[in-house]
């Protein structure tokens, strides 16, 4: 049974919380396992591997002496390495004073710098690896559009059409169909099509060219609803089709886009076709900062609908190497996009409301889970990258801060003094708490 079918039974808040805990637990488990396993490979032993904080509700010891446990508060986790004074790290000087040189080598603080640095860096790296593997799997499952361009699964539409699964599309509106993989040529072709509900198609069916009627190729259909958007708040669902905007009929996604962008934030009255029924919905587009291909950002109005074709195109298999390459590229794109967005927020080029806090992330996790397993898994991949990237920032208390301390020790031949460490850790904690408070304020007060 698909868990998304249970949404009405859970209720919005509970479902959102469950989805958030599941997503966070997976990401934290992978992050902490990266610390644990690389520490083990480099000779650093772990005393405790904990998923969650607070009272322990389940635990067991493995043959290496590590205690694996699940705690009651599922909002994080940690690895306590041998010789650490607590879950946050720091040397237990009393315990270490009674250890032999061989025993000290198996502690975090007694290991060589390279081993400590590798162990610290492994957490964020494993987050990136998780993202790459998720996208690799998604690309392999989705496949790639076959050539020649062939009709796959048909969507439910409000117009009659004669297309069939397996039809090879040769022409639309009397014009030859360009290569689908040539995004520029295909985009130009789409823009040239007349905006009308039904178009003449020439298809190859059973080995013969046949003239049939088919829908506008890129109708105003919602294949996905962006969480926390105007469309999401208005109750739109994947599969909904916009048939009219402010009383004016719409056949193409471009018509919807132009109306939304030209609204300047004024409410729009939409007629929505859903499973044979028409609904009247009013929504107010929201200001959104979007990256430009050439760099920088533009501020536009959006309602939060991801469009798609009038039918699913037939797809073929994608090899593991090609899928893995795509996974790496997608992960790198998320990293660079996140850094660019953060920098532009800092310098004031885009709104700071683009930074979400725990409430916003939880709401997004629930919304993505409600749209199906693949959407939720994709969200986990994106959030995993964000967690890995955040932990690499050179801020004390984060993994990146510890890497800076190790670099200092490698250059100077000794670690920073205990006093300096305490001061920097306090500053780092204040910075992180301040960032969390700012993001939480965004969740509560940003439109």
């Amino acid at each position: 049974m698909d868990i998304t079918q249970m949404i009405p039974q859970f209720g919005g808040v509970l479902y959102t919380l469950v989805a958030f805990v599941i997503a966070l637990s997976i990401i934290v488990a992978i992050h902490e396992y990266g610390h644990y396993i690389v520490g083990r490979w480099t000779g650093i032993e772990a005393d405790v591997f904990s998923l969650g904080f607070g009272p322990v509700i389940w635990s067991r010891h493995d043959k290496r002496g590590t205690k694996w446990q699940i705690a009651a508060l599922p909002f994080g986790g940690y690895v306590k390495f041998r010789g650490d004074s607590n879950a946050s790290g720091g040397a237990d000087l009393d315990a270490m004073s009674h250890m032999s040189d061989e025993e000290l080598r198996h502690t975090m603080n007694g290991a060589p710098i390279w081993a400590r640095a590798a162990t610290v860096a492994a957490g964020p790296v494993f987050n990136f690896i998780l993202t790459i593997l998720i996208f690799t799997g998604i690309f392999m499952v989705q496949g790639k559009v076959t050539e020649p361009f062939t009709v796959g699964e048909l969507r439910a539409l409000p117009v009659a059409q004669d297309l069939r699964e397996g039809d090879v599309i040769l022409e639309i509106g009397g014009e030859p169909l360009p290569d689908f993989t040539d995004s520029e040529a295909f985009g130009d072709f789409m823009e040239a099509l007349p905006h009308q509900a039904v178009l003449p198609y020439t298809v190859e069916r059973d080995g013969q060219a046949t003239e049939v009627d088919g829908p506008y190729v890129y109708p105003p259909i919602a294949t996905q609803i962006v969480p926390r958007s105007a469309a999401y708040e208005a109750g739109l669902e994947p599969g909904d089709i916009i048939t009219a905007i402010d009383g004016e009929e719409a056949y193409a996604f471009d018509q919807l886009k132009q109306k939304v962008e030209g609204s300047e934030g004024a409410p729009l009255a939409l007629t929505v076709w859903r499973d044979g029924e028409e609904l009247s919905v009013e929504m107010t587009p929201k200001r959104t900062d979007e990256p430009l291909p050439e760099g920088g950002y533009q501020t536009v109005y959006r309602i939060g609908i991801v469009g798609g074709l009038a039918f699913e195109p037939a797809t073929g298999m994608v090899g593991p190497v090609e899928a893995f390459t795509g996974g790496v590229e997608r992960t790198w794109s998320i990293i660079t996009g996140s850094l660019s967005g953060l920098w532009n927020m800092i310098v004031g080029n885009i709104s700071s409301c683009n930074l979400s806090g725990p409430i916003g992330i939880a709401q997004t996790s629930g919304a993505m889970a409600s749209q199906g397993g693949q959407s939720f898994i994709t969200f986990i991949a994106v959030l995993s990258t964000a967690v890995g990237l955040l932990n690499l920032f050179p801020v004390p208390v984060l993994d990146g801060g510890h890497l800076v301390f190790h670099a200092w020790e490698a250059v100077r031949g000794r670690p920073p003094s205990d006093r300096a460490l305490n001061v920097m850790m306090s500053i780092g904690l204040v910075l992180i708490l301040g960032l969390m408070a700012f993001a939480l304020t965004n969740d509560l007060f940003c439109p």
Side-chain angles (χ1 to χ4, degrees):
M1 177 180 180
D2 188 344
I3 191 172
T4 58
Q5 298 175 2
M6 301 171 65
I7 294 172
Q9 304 171 33
F10 272 92
V13 175
L14 179 59
Y15 185 78
T16 294
L17 183 60
V18 170
F20 178 58
V21 168
I22 291 174
L24 186 62
S25 296
I26 292 172
I27 293 168
V28 168
I30 293 297
H31 181 96
E32 297 302 331
Y33 187 76
H35 289 314
Y36 164 79
I37 194 63
V38 172
R40 199 176 96 179
W41 290 342
T42 58
I44 303 172
E45 299 291 344
D47 289 334
V48 180
F49 184 106
S50 181
L51 187 58
F53 298 98
V56 177
I57 58 178
W58 174 88
S59 68
R60 74 172 184 87
H61 285 81
D62 64 17
K63 62 182 180 180
R64 305 179 70 91
T66 301
K67 180 183 179 182
W68 297 77
Q69 66 183 38
I70 297 176
L73 301 177
F75 300 107
Y78 62 90
V79 178
K80 181 178 178 295
F81 289 103
R82 194 154 300 167
D84 286 352
S85 59
N86 52 53
S88 301
D92 185 346
L93 299 178
D94 183 58
M96 292 178 65
S97 66
H98 297 89
M99 294 182 182
S100 65
D101 290 343
E102 182 179 354
E103 290 172 328
L104 286 172
R105 172 58 182 85
H106 296 299
T107 67
M108 179 59 122
N109 292 281
I113 294 177
W114 66 267
R116 284 179 274 153
T119 300
V120 169
V125 169
F126 268 54
N127 283 132
F128 299 145
I129 291 173
L130 173 63
T131 302
I132 292 170
L133 293 180
I134 286 176
F135 281 128
T136 298
I138 289 175
F139 292 150
M140 292 185 70
V141 170
Q142 284 183 335
K144 60 181 178 181
V145 176
T146 58
E147 285 291 341
F149 192 67
T150 305
V151 177
E153 182 180 350
L154 297 171
R155 301 187 194 274
L157 300 172
V159 297
Q161 46 108 358
D162 302 321
L163 289 177
R164 297 180 186 174
E165 187 173 339
D167 284 348
V168 177
I169 299 179
L170 305 177
E171 296 181 354
I172 303 177
E175 296 294 329
L177 191 73
D179 187 344
F180 182 78
T181 59
D182 186 343
S183 58
E184 183 175 352
F186 195 85
D188 292 341
F189 175 82
M190 291 296 302
E191 288 183 6
L193 289 175
H195 291 165
Q196 55 192 60
V198 178
L199 295 170
Y201 282 63
T202 302
V203 301
E204 182 181 317
R205 180 183 295 173
D206 300 326
Q208 296 183 342
T210 304
E211 304 292 328
V212 299
D213 287 334
Y216 187 84
V217 187
Y218 200 23
I221 185 172
T223 60
Q224 185 177 325
I225 307 298
V226 177
R228 307 175 71 198
S229 66
Y232 181 78
E233 293 169 357
L236 264 65
E237 301 174 359
D240 286 350
I241 298 175
I242 312 301
T243 58
I245 310 161
D246 286 340
E248 182 179 333
E249 292 185 334
Y251 307 112
F253 194 87
D254 275 347
Q255 292 175 290
L256 174 63
K257 182 180 178 182
Q258 290 169 10
K259 285 284 189 179
V260 171
E261 290 180 345
S263 69
E264 295 296 321
L268 297 174
L270 305 182
T271 302
V272 179
W273 185 89
R274 178 186 297 169
D275 298 329
E277 297 183 2
E278 284 195 344
L279 310 172
S280 295
V281 177
E282 184 176 282
M283 64 181 70
T284 303
K286 296 185 177 183
R287 289 171 59 95
T288 305
D289 296 308
E290 292 183 349
L292 295 168
E294 64 274 14
Y297 284 77
Q298 64 175 348
T299 300
V300 293
Y301 286 91
R302 293 285 184 257
I303 59 174
I305 289 178
V306 178
L309 298 176
F311 48 82
E312 292 281 1
T315 58
M317 293 184 61
V318 173
V321 174
E322 184 180 357
F324 180 78
T325 302
V328 172
E329 291 174 349
R330 179 67 64 84
T331 303
W332 180 248
S333 175
I334 295 171
I335 292 173
T336 55
S338 298
L339 291 174
S340 174
L342 181 61
W343 172 251
N344 279 277
M345 276 190 282
I346 292 172
V347 299
N349 290 338
I350 61 176
S351 171
S352 60
C353 285
N354 287 282
L355 180 66
S356 294
I359 295 176
I361 295 172
Q363 290 174 335
T364 302
S365 65
M368 296 299 283
S370 70
Q371 296 185 49
Q374 181 172 309
S375 295
F376 185 53
I377 292 171
T378 300
F379 168 74
I380 291 175
V382 174
L383 185 58
S384 181
T385 301
V387 169
L389 185 61
L390 176 64
N391 270 279
L392 283 179
F393 286 179
V395 177
V397 311
L398 296 179
D399 293 331
H402 288 287
L403 290 174
V404 171
F405 296 154
H406 294 327
W408 172 278
E409 183 177 352
V411 172
R412 298 297 300 270
R414 64 180 184 275
S417 66
D418 290 341
R419 181 178 180 181
L421 281 174
N422 290 334
V423 170
M424 287 187 286
M425 295 291 276
S426 298
I427 294 174
L429 183 60
V430 170
L431 289 174
I432 294 300
L433 292 176
L435 179 63
M436 291 177 62
F438 179 75
L440 182 60
T441 302
N442 282 353
D443 291 341
L444 297 174
F445 299 110
C446 280

